[in-house]
């Protein structure tokens, strides 16, 4: 602009222009934050859907060459009701919040190493084993509490409407949101308690999501000494046994463990 058309500093016109810029800035920041939040939500929700489809595809392919766990159609929840779909949707959204909090914690915790040269057996394989052992101590105890008569019908009974799970991740997250929230944040608790590397944390969350999904398929996958899909299948048929999510160490120690038996199909 020509010098004659510019507002002199301190003039009313100059102050009005400054106020206008200050008003625009927060709106621009809000829009930027909204886009970032939307992208993050889409990434996590897309990842969950990818996990669900990936586990289902893997199970379907594996079942072509190995017999499925026996399945009694009378024990299957064939159609998801509106409440089932509501809980699944809420739990997907809670996952977005959980992942955000997990990332913030992992970034902030001095006990979580980030540098590649800090990778070692202790903070990778050692920490990963500790994650699973400690998580299932907390989860199995919490899960057992959910089966108390005064609590069961209000929270966990919803999940046990499915006696013979087949849907993978969708049957896994079809739980009361309170139960889902506690189960997710127990992962964060063990990350806080066990020193590790960020690679180990990511592996723990990814492996945990896959195994929890496989627990709700008919694939009889077994990793000797660590994990067996059939253990959770037992829990869905005998709800007072096998409370662990991944391992049966604490169930064996506390007397909650029951060996797998094929269901009666008659």
């Amino acid at each position: 602009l020509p010098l004659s058309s510019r507002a002199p500093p301190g003039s009313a016109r100059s102050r009005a222009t400054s106020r206008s810029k200050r008003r625009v800035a927060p709106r621009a920041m809000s829009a930027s934050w909204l886009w970032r939040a939307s992208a993050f939500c889409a990434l996590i929700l897309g990842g969950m859907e990818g996990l669900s489809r990936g586990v289902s595809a893997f199970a379907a392919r594996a079942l072509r060459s190995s017999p499925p766990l026996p399945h009694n159609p009378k024990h299957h929840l064939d159609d998801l009701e509106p409440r089932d779909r509501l809980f699944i949707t809420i739990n997907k959204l809670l996952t977005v919040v959980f992942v955000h909090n997990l990332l913030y914690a992992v970034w902030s915790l001095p006990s979580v190493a980030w540098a590649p040269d800090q990778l070692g057996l202790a903070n990778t394989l050692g920490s990963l084993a500790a994650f699973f052992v400690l998580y299932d101590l907390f989860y199995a105890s919490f899960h057992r509490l959910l089966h108390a008569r005064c609590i069961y019908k209000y929270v966990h009974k919803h999940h046990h409407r499915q006696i013979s799970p087949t849907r993978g991740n969708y049957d896994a997250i079809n739980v009361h949101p309170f139960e889902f929230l506690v189960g997710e944040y127990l992962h964060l608790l063990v990350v806080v308690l066990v020193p590790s590397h960020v690679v180990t944390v990511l592996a723990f969350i990814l492996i945990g999501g896959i195994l929890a999904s496989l627990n709700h398929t008919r694939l009889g996958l077994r990793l000797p000494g660590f994990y067996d899909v059939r253990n959770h299948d037992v829990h869905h048929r005998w709800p007072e046994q096998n409370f662990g999510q991944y391992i049966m160490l604490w169930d064996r120690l506390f007397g909650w463990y029951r060996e797998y038996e094929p269901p009666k199909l008659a």
Side-chain angles (χ1 to χ4, degrees):
L1 290 174
L3 290 176
S4 59
S5 64
R6 293 176 182 171
S11 66
R13 181 177 166 190
S14 176
R15 290 195 298 270
T17 302
S18 298
R19 285 196 298 269
S20 175
K21 289 180 178 179
R22 286 198 298 269
R23 286 196 296 270
V24 170
R27 286 199 294 269
M29 290 177 62
S30 297
S32 176
W33 179 89
L34 182 61
W35 278 111
R36 289 197 300 268
S38 299
F40 181 76
C41 289
L43 178 65
I44 301 306
L45 294 176
M48 289 190 72
E49 187 63 26
L51 172 69
S52 178
R53 292 174 181 268
V55 168
S56 296
F58 170 77
R61 186 169 183 175
L63 288 172
R64 295 175 190 170
S65 57
S66 62
L69 296 179
H71 168 61
N72 189 338
K74 296 179 181 179
H75 294 164
H76 187 256
L77 183 66
D78 292 325
D79 299 313
L80 295 177
E81 299 176 358
R83 188 178 185 185
D84 298 306
R85 299 183 185 279
L86 175 63
F87 282 1
I88 289 171
T89 301
I90 291 173
N91 293 337
K92 284 183 176 182
L93 295 176
L94 288 175
T95 301
V96 175
V97 179
F98 164 72
V99 173
H100 174 271
N101 291 338
L102 176 69
L103 291 175
Y104 179 80
V106 168
W107 178 258
S108 306
L109 286 170
S111 59
V112 178
W114 280 75
D117 60 0
Q118 292 178 298
L119 281 166
L121 286 177
N123 66 4
T124 53
L125 294 180
S127 295
L128 188 62
F131 281 162
F132 281 107
V133 170
L134 194 57
Y135 176 85
D136 258 343
L137 170 62
F138 295 141
Y139 180 81
S141 302
F142 170 66
H143 193 178
R144 180 67 185 87
L145 179 63
L146 290 178
H147 281 267
R149 290 186 179 181
C150 58
I151 299 175
Y152 179 74
K153 65 180 179 180
Y154 299 109
V155 181
H156 196 51
K157 184 178 180 180
H158 175 84
H159 186 63
H160 275 282
R161 292 164 57 244
Q162 179 66 286
I163 300 175
S164 185
T166 60
R167 296 185 183 92
N169 190 49
Y170 276 88
D171 277 345
I173 66 174
N174 186 12
V175 299
H176 191 285
F178 168 73
E179 175 184 349
F180 183 83
L181 194 66
V182 174
E184 288 297 279
Y185 278 86
L186 288 178
H187 292 92
L188 180 53
L189 175 60
V190 300
V191 169
V192 170
L193 295 177
V194 179
S196 64
H197 196 279
V198 63
V199 171
T200 315
V201 176
L202 295 177
F204 175 52
I205 298 302
L206 181 60
I207 294 171
I210 293 172
L211 297 183
S213 298
L214 287 171
N215 274 342
H216 296 83
T217 67
R218 308 315 299 162
L219 178 63
L221 178 66
R222 281 175 277 179
L223 302 175
F226 172 55
Y227 171 82
D228 190 334
V229 169
R230 301 177 306 168
N231 289 326
H232 197 71
D233 197 61
V234 167
H235 177 72
H236 273 267
R237 289 186 286 130
W238 288 284
E240 296 299 320
Q241 274 78 43
N242 296 10
F243 294 103
Q245 177 77 285
Y246 306 121
I247 62 176
M248 290 290 109
L249 171 64
W250 303 108
D251 289 275
R252 293 178 187 275
L253 290 176
F254 296 150
W256 301 333
Y257 181 70
R258 179 168 182 155
E259 292 282 354
Y260 175 80
E261 301 172 23
K264 297 179 180 179
L265 303 181

